[in-house]
Amino acid sequence: MSDMISSFFTPSFVALVIRVGTPLLFASMSAYVASLAGIPNIAVEGIMLFGALFGVYFSAISGSAWIGLLGVLAVGVVLALVLAFFTMKMKADPIMIGIALNLFATDFSVWLLLVWTGSKGTTANLPSKVLPTVNIPFIENIPIIGTIISGHYFLTYVCIVMAILLAILVYKTPFGLHMQACGLDEHAADSVGIKVNRVRLIAVIMSGIFAALGGAYLSMGYLSIFSNNMTASRGWIGIAAQAVGGGNFLIVTLTTGVFAIAQGIVSKLALTSLPSDLINTIPYVCVLIGLIGLSVKEYRKRRAR
Amino acid sequence: MTTEKAKKRFRITDEGPFEVLRILVSILIALAVTFVVLCFVIEGDSIPARLGNAGATFIKLLTYPCKNMFYFGYVLVKMVPLTFAGLATLLYFRTGLFNLSTEGVFYIAGVACTYFAVSEARLTGNPFIDSAICIVAAGLCGGIIALLPGYLKAKFQANEMVISLMMNSILFGIGFWMIKTFLAISGVTGTSSAPFVASARLTTIIPKTQVHSGIIIVLVMVVLVYILLFKTKLGYAIRITGLNQNFARYSGMGAFGLFMSVHFLAGFIGGMGSAVELLGVYQSFTWSQLPGLGFTGALMAMLGKNHPIGVTVAAFGISYLRASAQLLANSSPVIDIKLVSVVEVILTLLISSQYFLRSWREKQLLKEEQCNE
């Protein structure tokens, strides 16, 4: 057991956390940017699932992982447009649309699997391609830092770059301010001349792209196949991180980090003889405790006033 | 005189008929899209051949359950859990709560039901009492579990949706572990429980079909939920709170007690549904992942306009297609129960859209005005 605990303080564990944390951060960014602009995107899980499936499919039929990635982006944008169209133009409840898209993704991805491969399990018999891992020259040779920073999948670096860009976009540009305004009060935003629908459309499209990339990471890096229900509630964890952090991107990212560590511990403990079904619930228990703590804190704040 | 006459005349743009029209158009569009999807994947050398094949398969999909009593009975069997889940979720939605825990409740209450159903020592041997023990145990388990998000919502105004989603994953982990560790056949490491005792299982009520007595239980529940919503004080509080939380608070309705009762009732109905499904259809507990019935319940509630009878109709419609697709799954490589998700998603998207067909309706109303002038 002490071996196990000491293994949590090694560079390879940090690298593991980064590996399992990437899809979670994609999911969090997806949930964050959409709800910042006032359209809560509950469909993160579903978009991730479709992203994962279509990444495999497009890379298999084109023979190139990069074309697969383009396909993933297209799928993310299309699903985001569906969400945007029905919530903004047709005045449907975004939560309802999100639930519907999630259910659709869960079921329809299995059907597509069946049609494409003849089995409902995995795409193991599709010749899909995997995005490369990136070894950063020089840094990879530095003992500890090299293990942590270098040698991750391509999309991990994309994720980190996008997170930085997103933070700059939200906090340092007029557009970021517009997004926040739309999320806080669309009428107020409208009255000062912000084109609410356009801002929201862009935010939702970004959200769709983040979620789809999170899915692609799972099936084109982390694993090299798509398997039935492979996102395994990662999208929901992103939504929970957004719920904890609210409009504050730093807190959203830190919360995601905590969930990623929990997930990392799970993948370590999965190798032991402990019951795996119980171990798997650890990240969700963390999320639950975090959410409860947050709402108790806010309740106290309200009462103190 | 003339105005009175005009009022009595049937107009498609009136509230009720327009709603029916909207639903019918949504169904048509959903089926049309399914047909198009079929055309893409069906086997065929030329375009006409593909269209023909797709058409034949499509018509089969729409008519297959009417072929004989067994198939139609299968529709009714499929409808039972969907109606239960829909009833549970509509209570949440009516109160303005976006709680999706019915999924996890279905799972864990199924485990509670299994706890009693696998052991003769915990049962009496009387079929009626045994089934009742299992169903009530599952209901209580579901109700108590649902009180957790209920309490957090009522006391701290926590985000009940995210909490209920996290609970789903946790309940699944715990439930699956319990099934494997305590309720499996001893000595066998499998993913299913020991078989249910015969006296606990629900009896078949229509010979030569799979229709079990659960269909009666679910219809009774539909009536009870209807009475609860529209004939009792609690139901009134539920509806008013759903329309406007502030109004309910200012008029002196305690939100705490209301939220707790709604969560318990919804959890209870969900748990019952799980037990009825397990005891009616399954020989043992075999769910190795979340069954997806709780989320479908949210769709049923939405499609049925949060009305118990609407939910029943929606559950019947979706079950009809699901049953048909499942029965046809062996005859065609591209038909599977999962294909019905196309119909489900399009129906939900269109019916939840407030503006769907609205401009058409406004145009019609405008035309009428102009005619009258």
Side-chain angles (χ1 to χ4, degrees), chain B residues 148-185:
Chain B
L148 175 67
Y151 179 77
L152 294 170
K153 173 71 185 176
K155 177 92 179 158
F156 304 115
Q157 280 157 37
N159 182 339
E160 77 278 5
M161 192 182 73
V162 183
I163 286 188
S164 63
L165 290 167
M166 291 301 113
M167 275 183 56
N168 288 344
S169 300
I170 298 171
L171 291 175
F172 166 70
I174 296 175
F176 199 31
W177 172 72
M178 281 160 84
I179 288 289
K180 279 194 210 163
T181 324
F182 303 117
L183 299 169
I185 309 164

Side-chain angles (χ1 to χ4, degrees), chain A residues 104-182:
Chain A
F104 177 62
T106 322
D107 281 2
F108 199 64
S109 62
V110 175
W111 184 75
L112 286 177
L113 257 185
L114 181 73
V115 170
W116 287 338
T117 70
S119 95
K120 284 188 185 182
T122 67
T123 55
N125 55 5
L126 285 183
S128 65
K129 298 286 183 287
V130 178
L131 292 168
T133 49
V134 179
N135 289 315
I136 307 169
F138 305 119
I139 293 181
E140 64 177 317
N141 299 324
I142 305 171
I144 293 174
I145 299 171
T147 326
I148 295 176
I149 295 182
S150 177
H152 290 290
Y153 304 109
F154 170 72
L155 283 177
T156 301
Y157 300 105
V158 172
C159 182
I160 293 166
V161 170
M162 282 194 166
I164 295 167
L165 288 180
L166 182 62
I168 295 172
L169 179 72
V170 170
Y171 290 108
K172 299 286 177 200
T173 65
F175 184 78
L177 218 55
H178 290 179
M179 280 205 292
Q180 297 185 43
C182 292

Side-chain angles (χ1 to χ4, degrees), chain B residues 101-364:
Chain B
S101 61
T102 310
E103 184 72 48
V105 161
F106 243 81
Y107 198 88
I108 200 78
V111 176
C113 162
T114 307
Y115 173 77
F116 286 97
V118 291
S119 146
E120 277 175 30
R122 297 175 197 125
L123 297 171
T124 58
N126 177 323
F128 185 77
I129 298 175
D130 284 359
S131 304
I133 290 177
C134 297
I135 293 171
V136 170
L140 285 176
C141 169
I144 291 165
I145 294 286
L147 281 180
L148 175 67
Y151 179 77
L152 294 170
K153 173 71 185 176
K155 177 92 179 158
F156 304 115
Q157 280 157 37
N159 182 339
E160 77 278 5
M161 192 182 73
V162 183
I163 286 188
S164 63
L165 290 167
M166 291 301 113
M167 275 183 56
N168 288 344
S169 300
I170 298 171
L171 291 175
F172 166 70
I174 296 175
F176 199 31
W177 172 72
M178 281 160 84
I179 288 289
K180 279 194 210 163
T181 324
F182 303 117
L183 299 169
I185 309 164
S186 50
V188 181
T189 45
T191 54
S192 70
S193 77
F196 296 144
V197 176
S199 65
R201 299 199 65 226
L202 296 172
T203 44
T204 307
I205 53 168
I206 303 179
K208 289 186 190 156
T209 67
Q210 293 176 306
V211 181
H212 53 81
S213 47
I215 189 90
I216 300 171
I217 304 177
V218 79
L219 291 178
V220 170
M221 289 311 292
V222 170
V223 174
L224 286 180
V225 171
Y226 180 85
I227 293 173
L228 170 81
L229 269 182
F230 297 104
K231 308 284 175 202
T232 66
K233 206 178 138 198
L234 177 66
Y236 186 70
I238 288 176
R239 286 184 292 142
I240 292 297
T241 313
L243 290 176
N244 187 336
Q245 292 225 349
N246 292 328
F247 178 77
R249 190 143 40 94
Y250 296 143
S251 63
M253 286 170 192
F256 186 84
L258 175 69
F259 282 169
M260 293 298 267
S261 344
V262 168
H263 275 88
F264 182 79
L265 284 174
F268 193 89
I269 295 174
M272 275 182 76
S274 172
V276 167
E277 168 74 354
L278 282 170
L279 300 176
V281 180
Y282 291 78
Q283 311 283 342
S284 65
F285 188 99
T286 53
W287 289 335
S288 55
Q289 47 176 294
L290 287 172
L293 294 167
F295 285 137
T296 316
L299 287 196
M300 295 305 116
M302 198 263 122
L303 294 178
K305 296 270 165 202
N306 291 337
H307 192 288
I309 294 170
V311 165
T312 319
V313 175
F316 177 79
I318 294 297
S319 311
Y320 185 90
L321 287 179
R322 284 190 170 191
S324 178
Q326 192 153 3
L327 291 167
L328 285 168
N330 290 332
S331 68
S332 162
V334 295
I335 295 278
D336 186 80
I337 188 165
K338 306 287 183 192
L339 176 63
V340 181
S341 64
V342 177
V343 178
E344 291 165 9
V345 72
I346 290 175
L347 278 182
T348 322
L349 292 181
L350 292 180
I351 291 181
S352 66
S353 297
Q354 294 173 25
Y355 283 10
F356 176 54
L357 291 184
R358 204 182 72 152
S359 58
W360 175 84
R361 183 190 187 190
E362 279 167 355
K363 246 181 241 161
Q364 296 297 313

